[in-house]
């Protein structure tokens, strides 16, 4: 039997290494990408992302400069574990205050520690808002709760771990 093309195999393995995919879905994606998909567009986007700088203040790519300047009396500092949670919050409330996206949650079992989540940058970012209490949007899981507890302990700030809905209530109450 003919062996698989090497780059096809490498692509399968690379996709299989992404969270939440699995070997069979990785196969389907790889085959579609190689033989039917628009690999050029995907490759262009990935190349741009690879060369994008992470903003030290909010930990997102392609952030506008000085994203959090001008409001050092902010009452709240929003931390979300994912871009998706921030997106959900943005759809419900017009929040323009300081924020930070972790892009993950602490999980020793998966090798995700404080440095993978840029916790030092988060601490420095929070420091700039001495009056702000923290609203931490993380999943309702062991990892999500551990992440929130870690942030409260390290920053020494008050606040609470919140759902998107609860964050909206709190933020609206102070409009
Ligand atoms: Zn930023």
């Amino acid at each position: 039997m003919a062996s698989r093309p090497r780059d096809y195999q490498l692509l399968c393995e690379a996709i299989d290494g992404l969270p939440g995919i699995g070997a069979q879905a990785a196969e389907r994606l790889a085959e579609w990408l190689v033989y039917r998909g628009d690999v050029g567009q995907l490759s262009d986007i990935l190349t741009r992302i690879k060369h994008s700088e992470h903003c030290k203040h909010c930990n997102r790519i392609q952030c506008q400069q000085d994203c959090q300047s001008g409001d050092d009396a902010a009452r709240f500092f929003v931390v979300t574990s994912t871009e998706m949670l921030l997106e959900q919050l943005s759809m419900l409330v017009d929040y323009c205050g300081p924020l930070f996206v972790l892009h993950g949650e602490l999980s020793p079992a998966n090798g995700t520690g404080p440095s993978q989540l840029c916790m030092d940058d988060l601490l420095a970012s929070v420091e700039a808002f001495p009056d702000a209490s923290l609203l931490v949007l993380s999943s309702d899981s062991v990892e999500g709760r551990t992440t929130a507890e870690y942030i409260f302990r390290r920053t020494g700030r008050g606040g609470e771990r919140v759902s998107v809905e609860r964050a909206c209530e709190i933020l609206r109450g102070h409009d």
Side-chain angles (χ1 to χ4, degrees), residues 70-147:
D71 190 15
D72 55 5
R75 302 199 51 180
F76 297 105
F77 190 110
V78 169
V79 182
T80 72
S81 60
T82 63
E83 283 282 343
M84 194 167 69
L85 282 170
L86 180 62
E87 176 74 16
Q88 289 171 358
L89 182 68
S90 308
M91 284 162 65
L92 295 174
V93 67
D94 184 23
Y95 176 72
C96 303
L99 60 91
F100 193 96
V101 184
L102 297 165
H103 307 295
E105 297 180 338
L106 294 175
S107 173
N110 293 327
T112 306
S115 61
Q116 278 79 29
L117 302 183
C118 302
M119 285 291 188
D120 286 345
D121 289 343
L122 169 62
L123 296 181
S125 202
V126 168
E127 285 285 298
F129 301 93
D131 300 328
S133 64
L134 304 181
L135 298 179
V136 180
L137 287 91
S138 58
S139 68
D140 188 14
S141 64
V142 173
E143 288 83 4
R145 288 190 290 274
T146 304
T147 303

Side-chain angles (χ1 to χ4, degrees), residues 55-60 63-64 67-68:
C55 172
K56 285 257 177 202
H57 304 296
C58 65
N59 203 32
R60 306 172 79 201
C63 168
Q64 53 194 342
C67 66
Q68 306 196 147

Side-chain angles (χ1 to χ4, degrees), residues 4 8 12 15-16 20-32:
R4 303 170 121 204
Y8 178 80
C12 288
I15 296 174
D16 188 21
I21 300 278
Q24 285 190 7
E27 285 269 343
R28 284 200 301 277
L29 282 170
E31 188 155 30
W32 189 86

